[in-house]
Amino acid sequence: MPRFFVDAPLTAPGEITLPPGAARHVQVLRLQPGDALTLFDGSGPEWRAEVTAMGRSEVRVSLVTAESPQRELARRVTLAVVMPANDRMDFLVEKATELGAAVLQPLVSERSVLRLAGERADKKRAHWQSVAIAAAEQSGRTVPMRVEPVQPLPAWLAALPAPAGGEWRGLLSPRATVPLAAAAPGASAVFLSGPEGGLSDAEEGAARERGFAAVTLGPRILRADTAPLAVLAWLALSA
């Protein structure tokens, strides 16, 4: 059954006009009145719906019943990632959504290859959010991963409050001696991963001051877009 995100609140049974984004998906698939589909607005529930009218500029559907499937991770995970170069960030966003991350925080560090700011950063963030929504549609998630605005690593660290509510903070470091498997994540986790060249000594020190525990994934050097996904998979399985 086709499944689409709707950028508008879905609150009660009845007929609605789909917003342009969802309407285009329905039109591309050439769904017809009477065809069934699933809709979700990112708040948690998903709706069984039926197309009632198709037009060139308007698509109407009837919301039938709401369900609340449990497809989110038991542990809330935030990935704070110094952005990898080229198109690898798109891959990272897609796979992090599929694996269940709640939040992705794109960062710029001293050794960043990809540096974004201003309007260019805003456009990239909007693009990555659309990638996350598409991945949520495909994977069955009812709450798409949220992509935060791009920030410099020092500013992001400085604004972090003290860990609370059983939150665990992990830092992937080539200098670490404690394996990730020895960590003890709580009800939520924030994981910081560096760029292709790694974080500087000063950046790692600043992260430790904000409560991040340095861990290692082993003797192999993983790419900047591979390491956070490996961590996310482990966090999901260890919940």
Side-chain angles (χ1 to χ4, degrees):
M1 183 185 301
R3 188 172 186 276
F4 305 117
F5 173 78
V6 175
D7 189 17
L10 303 177
T11 57
E15 193 173 64
I16 64 168
T17 299
L18 288 181
R24 281 195 296 273
H25 287 307
V26 173
Q27 290 165 331
V28 167
L29 289 180
R30 300 189 179 185
L31 299 183
Q32 298 300 315
D35 287 345
L37 65 162
T38 300
L39 303 174
F40 66 104
D41 63 5
S43 65
E46 64 181 16
W47 285 82
R48 301 297 179 184
E50 182 178 294
V51 178
T52 57
M54 284 285 294
R56 290 185 178 180
S57 59
E58 182 179 274
V59 175
R60 295 190 64 78
V61 302
S62 178
L63 302 179
V64 182
T65 58
E67 300 177 356
S68 296
Q70 298 301 317
R71 302 189 187 120
E72 297 303 303
L73 297 184
R75 175 185 293 119
R76 179 178 174 83
V77 179
T78 296
L79 287 183
V81 179
V82 178
M83 299 173 291
N86 302 322
D87 60 353
R88 293 183 178 275
M89 189 65 177
D90 283 20
F91 175 85
L92 176 57
V93 170
E94 179 183 79
K95 300 311 173 188
T97 303
E98 291 178 17
L99 288 169
V103 180
L104 181 71
Q105 174 62 65
L107 298 168
V108 178
S109 72
E110 289 181 25
R111 298 170 180 165
S112 288
V113 176
L114 179 59
R115 294 182 176 274
L116 300 173
E119 184 179 354
R120 185 167 172 239
D122 293 340
K123 288 181 177 178
K124 278 291 188 180
R125 180 203 180 191
H127 167 71
W128 291 328
Q129 190 63 70
S130 69
V131 171
I133 288 171
E137 290 174 335
Q138 177 273 322
S139 64
R141 289 189 65 178
T142 57
V143 183
M145 181 180 72
R146 185 175 76 251
V147 181
E148 296 286 5
V150 176
Q151 290 195 57
L153 176 58
W156 178 75
L157 286 172
L160 275 182
E167 179 186 88
W168 175 79
R169 294 179 177 177
L171 163 67
L172 184 59
S173 171
R175 305 168 185 83
T177 57
V178 177
L180 178 61
S188 63
V190 181
F191 186 82
L192 173 59
S193 182
E196 284 81 351
L199 298 176
S200 69
D201 291 345
E203 289 170 333
E204 286 202 9
R208 288 190 178 92
E209 289 178 0
R210 303 305 293 171
F212 284 85
V215 293
T216 176
L217 292 177
R220 292 171 302 282
I221 303 299
L222 303 183
R223 296 190 68 108
D225 55 317
T226 304
L229 297 179
V231 171
L232 180 56
W234 180 82
L235 290 171
L237 291 172
S238 63

